[in-house]
Each structure stands twice: as structure tokens, then as C-alpha cells.
Amino acid sequence: MRMLPLGRDAVLFEAGDLAGVMALHARLAAAVPPGVVDVVPAAETVLVRFDRARLTSDTVRAWVSAAAAGAAPAADALTPAVLPVRYDGTDLDDVASILGTSPEALVARHAATAWTVAFTGFAPGFGYLVGAGWDLNVPRLPSPRAQVPAGAVGLAGAFSGAYPRESPGGWRLIGTTDAVLFDPDGTRPALLAPGTPVRFLPARSRSVSRSPGPAPTSSPTLPPVSPAGHHAPRGIRIVEPGARATLQDGGRPGRAAEGIAVSGAADRDAWALANRLLGNRAGAAAIEVVLGGLRAVAERDLAVVVTGGWAPVVIDGRPGDPFVVHAWPAGTELRLDGMLAGARAYLAVRGGWDAAPVVGSRSTDTLSGLGPAPLRAGDVVAVGEEIATDPPALPLHPWGLPDVGTDAAPLDVPFVPGPRDDWLTGTARRALAGETWTVSAAADRIGVRLEGPSLERSRSDELASEGMVPGAIQVPPSGLPVVFGVDGPVTGGYPVVGVVTAAGLGRLAQARPGDRVRLRPVASSAH
């Protein structure tokens, strides 16, 4: 079994085929050692992400090899997830025609099949189901729908699945379920986790209904704070949020197998520094402000600091520097004007910001919609009690402007060569590390597309879906690399030719469209 490093804290294990993946994942999930963060099955590989402070890649390899060679775990009596379904999908007749059968026969076979969740991806709680004896292959739609309703049951390739929330999608829809597929407040948020047996229970026996039925409308997104006029612990009132402002903390590590991204602060070092300057606990939430423009009024006396992008702080009309703790008196307005450098600032107060955790975090996931909604004018953000120590005594200005990538001095972004760099020609691999790239307008928490020469592939086929990590450099058919951000999908189907290091990912979080970037290869074992 081949092991392929995926950055410095993750490895891909090639299991051959989907049956091999499911067998290996079952063995690994039965006995996960301390220090393993994620075990993520995909179409042909299993991703293992680990804590480098506790494990080495050699230790992980030994654990996986021993599990693969060992006996299969005893079959546990997992209770099947039963999904009541109305077979009313808009594509039901078309799918039956493609397969050369009748809608009634297709419904009967789909409902009689014993399904199992092979892996998840695309969205939190979206399970790719394989069926015992299911040998039908259904092509995806030529063009994905802009919106697929929550609860839609579909077929694509050899898989069946159900959409946990409204989202775009290219699966062919054959029915609707009212089952709660993802409950962000549950102890097990995803109903369809890898290995779960699934049964589809027809709402009507031996009948097919084409009438559209109501789709579930529940959403994992929660309001971040109390709207103006509602009672909440005193904190601040948002006057203007700027381009975008979201609550962020350390995110949701360890949930990738459920389709949940890490999320959290895009510039981890800047967020952590803000909490250290205030004497907060390490996981306290801050407000991530993109490109400035935020205005807020304090409803109580606060101690505040701004880190990350260089954004001058104006409190009650008096200017101050970032990276310095300031008093923010009750009733006064704080303003962050345009940033002199960088793209993201972290506005933190002593005690941290408070909001209802969603799947263990106060972070906003901009791709899936998990967590608090982006801040809006009139929102009231409460102050928490995440205080650890007295604020440290630090030099007045120990930090300077963030690096800005220019033609003369491109932003240095280190990366570890990836598991699929052999999908590029030799010329393309040299260009990846030798060219100066430009940050495109398509740059956000989900990913950063780089503009430059198109990287030529050495292969024309497509890659089966594999587990992803923040910092993964994918090369789609356009040949322009995309670096996954903290809100990026947990699986992807384009070759990963490198993984940007944690430090490099923080630098990219501060890059603006038009900034120049140089990708610098480094060893996977470096610290």
C-alpha cells in the first residue's frame, strides 16, 4: 500500500478501490490512536491527518500498515439510518429511460437495496452511498443545477445520496426525504457518516408520485448575535461591518470525515497573537475583518486590540496603532479604515467574543454556512469570559507591516511538493516553483486562484475524489493553480501538486488581488 505525503501533517494511503477504502477505513476507525486528527475515506484513498507534536509520519505509516494487515474488526450492529422518501424527483422518468427500465422498477430496486455510506464530501453531511448488488451507473447532469432543494435524493455514477441543505448540484433527482440529515447541535451532527448502513423507505408502497413535495427548510446557519432591540449580554453594536466581518476561532478540526471543513481564522498566527496580547484563552473568538471598513459602538468598557493586516484603529475620533491594546470606553465608536497592508485584520477584546457554538466552534464557514452568519449593521456581539492571564508586558511596536507581494519582492509562500505532482510535466513542475504568480480576484476563505502560465498536465484522465487539507494546491483543467483555504472542501477531484505550509497559508490570507506570489518548495520534514 503506497503512502503519499500530503503536506507536513497528513498522508494519503492508496487502498486500490472503493471496497479497499471501506475495509481500510473500518479497520482504522476501530482503533484511532491519540494524535490522529482525521481519518477521511474517499473513492480510492484514505487520508490520515495527525498532530505533528504527538506523532510522526513513520508512526502513522506503521499504524496504518498494521491495521491493513490485521483482521477485520468484528461487525458491530450499527442501526441503519432509515430515510423515508417520496419518489417524486424531477429526473425520475429520465433516469429510468437512461437505464432502460420503468420508473416503478427503478423505485422498487432503489428502495430494496442495502446502502452503506462510503465517504462524505461536497457539503457537511452529504454521504456517497454504495449499494449491495447495485450495478447501475447514472451519468451526472451535463450542467449542474444552481439550486437543489434540501432533502433531494439523487443518483450519480454508482452512488446514491441525499442533499442535507439547499445547494448547487449535478446529481439526477429521483425523490425527496424529510429526514434531518445534518443537525449542527447534535452530538453526531451528520446522520450519514462513513460506514453507516442506510435504507430508503418509500412513503407509498409500489407507487410513484411526480408531484413536487415540500423540502426541508432547516439550515445549519445560526444568527451570530442578537439583532438590535433584543436582549443580549452587553458587548458591541455593529454600525457597519465593512466588506465582510465574521466571527472566527480555532475552527472545527477532526470533523472532515463528516464533510465539515476546519474553518477558523484564515491567518492563524494573527488571531493567536491577538489573544495573547489580551491575556485571553487560546481559543477565544475574534472578528475577522476583510479590507477594513468596520464601525462599531461599545456598550461597555472594553480592552481591544487589532492584529493581522495593518489597520489603523480610531476610537472616539482618536487614532491608534494596531498590535497595541487600547481602552474602548462604553458609548464610543471604533473604526477600522482601509488597511495600509494586508487583507484581514482580527478585532479582539479581552474575554473574547461570545456566540452559540455550532459543532464545537464559533467560526463562520463561508462555504457550508455553518456557524454564525456574517455580521450585519445592527447586530449586537456579546463579550465572553475567555480570560486566562493578565495581559503580558510587551514592547510597544514589536510587529511591523505584513509582507506585500510586488514584482520586485514577491510574497514568499513555502509549499511541500504534493502527492500528485507527477500529473504535471517536468516543465510545469519547474514553472510552479519558478514563476511569479498573481493573486486573482477569486481569492477568499475557500481558496485562492493564482494567475500566470497554464500548467500542462502529463495525463489526460481525471483523478478520483481524494481527501483535501487547507493549503492543498490543486490544478484543474485550466492549468491555473488553486490553493485551498480554511473553508475549502474536504474532498476534491483535481490533482494536488503541492501543499502550502501553515506559515504560507497565513501569508496568503493577507494577500490581495494583484499581489505577486512566489511558491517556494520546501522539505516535508522541515519545522
Side-chain angles (χ1 to χ4, degrees), residues 226-254:
S226 298
H230 288 237
H231 174 74
R234 291 190 302 166
I236 64 171
R237 176 173 50 83
I238 302 296
V239 178
E240 292 290 344
R244 170 163 283 203
T246 57
L247 286 182
Q248 300 296 340
D249 56 18
R252 302 177 180 88

Side-chain angles (χ1 to χ4, degrees), residues 76-83 114-115 188 191-192 195-200:
D76 50 9
L78 286 176
T79 302
V82 179
L83 306 186
W115 298 91
R188 179 183 164 183
L191 178 64
L192 304 182
T196 303
V198 179
R199 288 181 52 211
F200 290 98

Side-chain angles (χ1 to χ4, degrees), residues 122 140-141 143-148 163 167-173:
F122 173 63
R140 286 175 167 81
L141 293 172
S143 297
R145 291 182 172 94
Q147 287 186 331
V148 175
Y163 286 74
S167 60
W171 290 40
R172 295 186 188 261
L173 308 181

Side-chain angles (χ1 to χ4, degrees), residues 398-453:
W399 298 276
L401 295 173
D403 292 334
V404 177
T406 64
D407 286 327
L411 189 67
D412 177 61
V413 177
F415 77 98
V416 177
R420 306 300 179 189
D421 63 349
D422 59 346
W423 280 57
L424 296 180
T425 65
T427 300
R429 288 197 297 271
R430 289 188 293 271
L432 179 69
E435 293 287 338
T436 298
W437 300 90
T438 301
V439 176
S440 75
D444 54 24
R445 291 175 49 84
I446 299 168
V448 176
R449 190 181 70 209
L450 301 177
E451 295 177 339

Side-chain angles (χ1 to χ4, degrees), residues 124-420:
F126 188 98
Y128 289 74
L129 313 184
V130 293
W134 184 268
D135 56 357
L136 305 180
N137 196 300
V138 179
R140 286 175 167 81
L141 293 172
S143 297
R145 291 182 172 94
Q147 287 186 331
V148 175
V153 176
L155 296 169
F159 300 106
S160 188
Y163 286 74
R165 56 173 300 188
E166 183 179 285
S167 60
W171 290 40
R172 295 186 188 261
L173 308 181
I174 63 170
T176 306
T177 180
D178 292 326
V180 178
L181 301 170
F182 190 83
D183 178 7
D185 297 321
T187 54
R188 179 183 164 183
L191 178 64
L192 304 182
T196 303
V198 179
R199 288 181 52 211
F200 290 98
L201 181 66
R204 299 175 184 174
S205 177
R206 301 179 64 82
S207 66
V208 179
S209 171
R210 306 295 194 285
S211 60
T217 57
S218 61
S219 168
T221 302
L222 299 178
V225 288
S226 298
H230 288 237
H231 174 74
R234 291 190 302 166
I236 64 171
R237 176 173 50 83
I238 302 296
V239 178
E240 292 290 344
R244 170 163 283 203
T246 57
L247 286 182
Q248 300 296 340
D249 56 18
R252 302 177 180 88
R255 312 303 294 256
E258 300 170 81
I260 301 173
V262 174
S263 198
D267 184 344
R268 288 290 208 266
D269 288 345
W271 161 73
L273 174 60
N275 282 324
R276 289 201 303 274
L277 290 173
L278 290 161
N280 286 341
R281 291 176 186 158
I287 297 176
E288 184 178 278
V289 181
V290 177
L291 298 176
L294 180 137
R295 295 168 54 208
V297 174
E299 296 191 339
R300 55 182 281 191
D301 291 341
L302 298 168
V304 64
V305 71
V306 175
T307 60
W310 194 271
V313 184
V314 180
I315 299 176
D316 199 21
R318 297 180 177 86
D321 284 340
F323 299 97
V324 177
V325 176
H326 300 280
W328 186 0
T332 63
E333 181 181 275
L334 177 145
R335 188 175 79 241
L336 295 182
D337 293 329
M339 297 184 189
L340 301 181
R344 289 178 171 83
Y346 293 86
L347 176 68
V349 294
R350 183 161 168 79
W353 303 111
D354 195 15
V358 179
V359 194
S361 170
R362 296 179 172 89
S363 291
T364 299
D365 182 333
T366 58
L367 178 61
S368 71
L370 273 180
L375 298 177
R376 299 173 296 178
D379 284 344
V380 174
V381 187
V383 174
E385 299 179 351
E386 300 290 318
I387 296 172
T389 63
D390 292 331
L394 292 171
L396 183 59
H397 293 290
W399 298 276
L401 295 173
D403 292 334
V404 177
T406 64
D407 286 327
L411 189 67
D412 177 61
V413 177
F415 77 98
V416 177
R420 306 300 179 189

